[in-house]
Amino acid sequence: MKASWDIFCCVVDNFGDIGVTWRLARQLAAEHDVAVRLWVDDLKSFERLWPAVQPSLASQRHEGVEICQWPQQWPAVQAADVVIEAFGCKLPADYRAAMAARPAPALWLNLEYLSAEGWVSGCHGLPSPQPDRLQKYFFFPGFVEKTGGLLRESGLLARRQAFQADPEARRAFLASLGVTVAPGARLVSLFAYENASLAGWFDAMAADASPTHVLVPQGRVLGDVQAWLAVDELAVGAVHRRGALTVQVVPFVRQDQYDLLLWSCDFNAVRGEDSFVRAQWAGQPLLWHIYEQEEYAHWEKLEAFLALYVEALSPAAGQALTDLWRAWNQGLAMADSWRRVLEHWPELAANARQWGEKQAAQPDLATALVQFYRNWI
């Protein structure tokens, strides 16, 4: 009999939490032969990532996963063998009671946000005793041994490498989005929160001697793009040129297509957690717009990741990339750091590929979760 898994997700900031939990649920069902229910409190946002989802349904199946509306009035359901409380969301009291009533205990995991901070490996897998005879464990994704690793489906890097080695596949995918890239132009994707640095970065690209084509999926940064272009609106498909810079708005695409978008680009600016991890698997230089937290807790996460990511780079290349990331996340001028990044482009591109290969040598997050459960029972 298949082990049953329940994953609980409260949608925060539209896409990050549901993006991670949906990828995880799909992979568990497809690769580990477990029965997965994904409880989501906002199916409208979920529908943007996976258009087949019908927000009006209390329960539906997609990709081998039972997707359930997380209602205010909790229904009587049997607790699963493994319960994942994603990103600090609180389990319903009635569900906790169902967990306590099970004849055999359930494995209760608090899936934490991704961090490269040093303390993570020491806290990964630690128990946290709870009332009513329950106990949960902290489970941390991460970039080093003694963490839970990163979400990565089987064969992902091989598929990426095959796609990137096939110019016709890239051309056809971009054409499906209405994108035609001029010969020799650098292709950049931009998925970000609102950012005061955008105007200066765009100015630098517009003034560059080499052409750049920026693809902007629908999202929060469009307001800043619109202000820089000084236009009244920006609809999907809009193309504007200023100097050496072409800016094009593309649709908000489903997750699998977003991977192809990242694989097609030479440089990817991403935000939050889900797109941040997918950009690392793209094997191209990247820029992370981290989600802001109270008391600047996000800044420590950013610096901790950078320390690992630039470790194999020359001092000059590492400093150029570090300065770019810091400027982007503080709303500062980016022209100088962007120019220095371009000077070190071959080294940064090689480092991006090597970083992905290094991370792929570790167990992926879904596999690590399944192994933790097997060791626990």
Side-chain angles (χ1 to χ4, degrees):
M1 183 175 178
K2 290 184 178 182
S4 57
W5 291 55
D6 274 342
I7 303 174
F8 287 82
C9 174
C10 287
V11 177
V12 178
D13 188 42
N14 296 328
F15 308 117
D17 296 345
I18 184 58
V20 171
T21 52
W22 175 229
R23 286 193 195 277
L24 175 60
R26 290 167 62 196
Q27 187 180 355
L28 286 168
E31 298 181 17
H32 296 281
D33 194 33
V34 298
V36 185
R37 282 187 302 201
L38 176 59
W39 297 90
V40 185
D41 68 343
D42 180 3
L43 292 180
K44 287 295 294 181
S45 292
F46 191 0
E47 184 185 20
R48 294 287 305 280
L49 287 179
W50 201 259
V53 167
Q54 300 182 55
S56 62
L57 298 181
S59 175
Q60 55 197 295
R61 293 192 69 84
H62 297 280
E63 301 289 298
V65 176
E66 182 181 359
I67 299 168
C68 301
Q69 178 74 250
W70 183 341
Q72 291 186 343
Q73 187 65 37
W74 189 255
V77 297
Q78 184 175 350
D81 299 317
V82 182
V83 180
I84 295 180
E85 189 179 53
F87 312 123
C89 69
K90 301 300 181 185
L91 297 179
D94 289 347
Y95 188 87
R96 285 186 56 155
M99 290 171 64
R102 281 176 50 103
L107 173 61
W108 181 5
L109 297 169
N110 183 6
L111 181 62
E112 295 283 352
Y113 285 106
L114 176 64
S115 178
E117 294 169 283
W119 59 265
V120 164
S121 57
C123 295
H124 174 64
L126 291 183
S128 174
Q130 303 290 311
D132 47 31
R133 300 183 297 105
L134 297 174
Q135 179 169 272
K136 68 177 173 179
Y137 295 83
F138 295 106
F139 205 94
F140 285 85
F143 305 95
V144 297
E145 291 184 16
K146 298 183 180 179
T147 67
L150 303 174
L151 273 173
R152 183 186 77 255
E153 304 90 280
S154 176
L156 177 66
L157 265 63
R159 293 196 299 276
R160 184 211 82 199
Q161 290 162 358
F163 178 87
Q164 292 177 334
D166 186 347
E168 177 56 28
R170 177 179 183 265
R171 187 209 61 77
F173 169 71
L174 291 173
S176 74
L177 300 179
V179 175
T180 302
V181 184
R186 181 182 300 108
L187 189 61
V188 174
S189 75
L190 173 60
F191 184 52
Y193 307 110
E194 299 85 352
N195 198 308
S197 293
L198 181 134
W201 188 23
F202 274 21
D203 285 342
M205 289 190 282
D208 195 1
S210 300
T212 301
H213 193 138
V214 176
L215 303 179
V216 189
Q218 293 169 290
R220 289 170 53 174
V221 79
L222 271 183
D224 294 322
V225 175
Q226 183 175 323
W228 184 80
L229 290 168
V231 296
D232 293 332
E233 64 176 346
L234 275 180
V236 170
V239 181
H240 295 267
R241 295 179 178 85
R242 183 181 296 178
L245 176 61
T246 299
V247 178
Q248 181 170 358
V249 182
V250 296
F252 187 95
V253 295
R254 56 189 279 175
Q255 285 182 323
D256 295 348
Q257 290 179 303
Y258 185 63
D259 282 335
L260 297 181
L261 178 64
L262 295 173
W263 298 353
S264 298
C265 291
D266 304 297
F267 185 85
N268 293 300
V270 291
R271 68 176 226 197
E273 181 168 324
D274 185 48
S275 60
F276 174 47
V277 172
R278 303 313 283 194
Q280 291 173 62
W281 297 137
Q284 303 284 32
L286 71 148
L287 175 62
W288 183 26
H289 196 182
I290 191 171
Y291 186 79
E292 289 191 17
Q293 295 178 291
E294 294 180 0
E295 300 180 354
Y296 297 96
H298 61 288
W299 196 251
E300 295 180 4
K301 291 184 177 180
L302 186 82
E303 291 293 327
F305 177 79
L306 272 173
L308 292 177
Y309 188 73
V310 306
E311 194 172 34
L313 289 169
S314 68
Q319 193 62 56
L321 190 66
T322 297
D323 289 347
L324 186 75
W325 282 41
R326 288 173 177 169
W328 184 236
N329 281 279
Q330 293 183 83
L332 303 177
M334 293 176 63
D336 181 62
S337 55
W338 178 244
R339 175 185 56 77
R340 288 186 287 118
V341 160
L342 296 180
E343 291 173 358
H344 297 283
W345 195 272
E347 183 181 355
L348 293 172
N351 183 70
R353 291 190 297 272
Q354 291 161 6
W355 172 263
E357 292 166 0
K358 178 181 178 181
Q359 293 303 312
Q362 301 184 68
D364 66 88
L365 179 61
T367 298
L369 284 162
V370 170
Q371 191 58 54
F372 190 90
Y373 172 57
R374 289 173 177 166
N375 292 341
W376 177 82
I377 55 178

